[in-house]
Amino acid sequence: MFKNFAILDVETTGGKFNEEKITDISILIYDGIKVINKFETLINPDKEIQPFVQRLTGITNELVKNSPKFKDVSKNIFDITKDKIIVAHNVDFDYRVIKNEFQSINIKYHRHSLCTVDLSRLIFPDLKSYKLTNLLLNFGIVNKNPHRANSDALGTLKLLQILINEDLEMKVIKSKIRSNKNK
């Protein structure tokens, strides 16, 4: 059993590809049995949050203006995810945004990653939707505050637990872990 998952979710300012900045982050360290550590904060992105994103997430420029900047919490994020497999729903997005944030402060960031969208499609191929909220509802779980980092990270954790229970030998899960060395 893996004992090194960092289930995470980020919300961003929106905007042009690779120019998004984090506004909300939640990281749950899961040892395969329980959450053993947690990090969560709003982040001042030092740029305007797109109006569409403000409506979607409820995160406004006013809400984050007194929050720490990414560089102020980067050590916490770097340390809590060290030697962990980053797990996210659509991990390519979350991983890319975090890596870009680290790159903007001249820190190289490489972690293995695992996508719960990919796993869900393989393990539950006949579902109509693989959006996080819809997947959770399929299993009787309500995501109480979608498009907020902590609620989505908790939902992703619950989904990961379901996926692990369906793949007890971890064959599918192990096969989908990406190294991200060249990303």
Side-chain angles (χ1 to χ4, degrees):
M1 179 69 73
F2 289 104
K3 298 184 186 307
N4 57 348
F5 293 110
I7 292 92
L8 66 83
D9 188 78
V10 299
E11 302 302 328
T12 71
T13 57
K16 291 183 180 174
F17 185 81
N18 280 340
E19 292 181 13
E20 313 98 327
K21 303 297 270 178
I22 296 173
T23 58
D24 188 17
I25 186 168
S26 180
I27 304 169
L28 307 170
I29 304 304
Y30 179 63
D31 69 0
I33 298 168
K34 65 185 179 300
V35 173
I36 58 170
N37 202 352
K38 177 180 176 177
F39 177 80
E40 174 187 7
T41 188
L42 289 170
I43 294 177
N44 179 341
D46 247 353
K47 74 183 280 188
E48 294 294 307
I49 302 169
Q50 300 284 308
F52 164 77
V53 174
Q54 290 186 55
R55 287 189 299 276
L56 181 68
T57 65
I59 300 169
T60 63
N61 296 309
E62 183 68 21
L63 184 64
V64 297
K65 77 176 185 181
N66 295 319
S67 298
K69 295 186 178 8
F70 183 82
K71 66 180 168 105
D72 301 325
V73 296
S74 62
K75 182 174 180 3
N76 296 42
I77 295 167
F78 192 91
D79 291 347
I80 199 171
T81 62
K82 187 174 182 172
D83 300 323
K84 309 290 186 294
I85 297 167
I86 302 292
V87 178
H89 202 70
N90 187 14
V91 76
D92 288 344
F93 173 79
D94 298 84
Y95 185 82
R96 176 181 56 80
V97 171
I98 287 176
K99 186 173 178 182
N100 286 343
E101 289 276 15
F102 276 107
Q103 192 171 5
S104 75
I105 56 172
N106 297 312
I107 296 174
K108 290 186 179 189
Y109 186 80
H110 297 286
R111 302 289 186 265
H112 286 78
S113 66
L114 185 62
C115 182
T116 55
V117 174
D118 293 347
L119 288 175
S120 297
R121 285 188 172 130
L122 287 169
I123 294 173
F124 301 108
D126 298 325
L127 298 179
K128 290 184 172 139
S129 171
Y130 293 92
K131 291 172 79 173
L132 181 60
T133 299
N134 294 344
L135 273 168
L136 293 173
L137 282 174
N138 191 65
F139 298 109
I141 300 165
V142 175
N143 186 350
K144 293 181 180 159
N145 200 2
H147 304 295
R148 286 302 299 264
N150 191 54
S151 186
D152 285 351
L154 286 168
T156 301
L157 169 63
K158 290 174 184 172
L159 179 57
L160 178 65
Q161 292 168 327
I162 291 165
L163 293 164
I164 288 171
N165 283 335
E166 290 294 315
D167 184 30
L168 289 175
E169 293 181 20
M170 305 288 277
K171 288 180 181 177
V172 175
I173 291 170
K174 286 179 187 175
S175 75
K176 297 308 287 180
I177 295 171
R178 303 176 198 160
S179 73
N180 297 311
K181 289 287 184 202
N182 298 323
K183 285 188 175 184

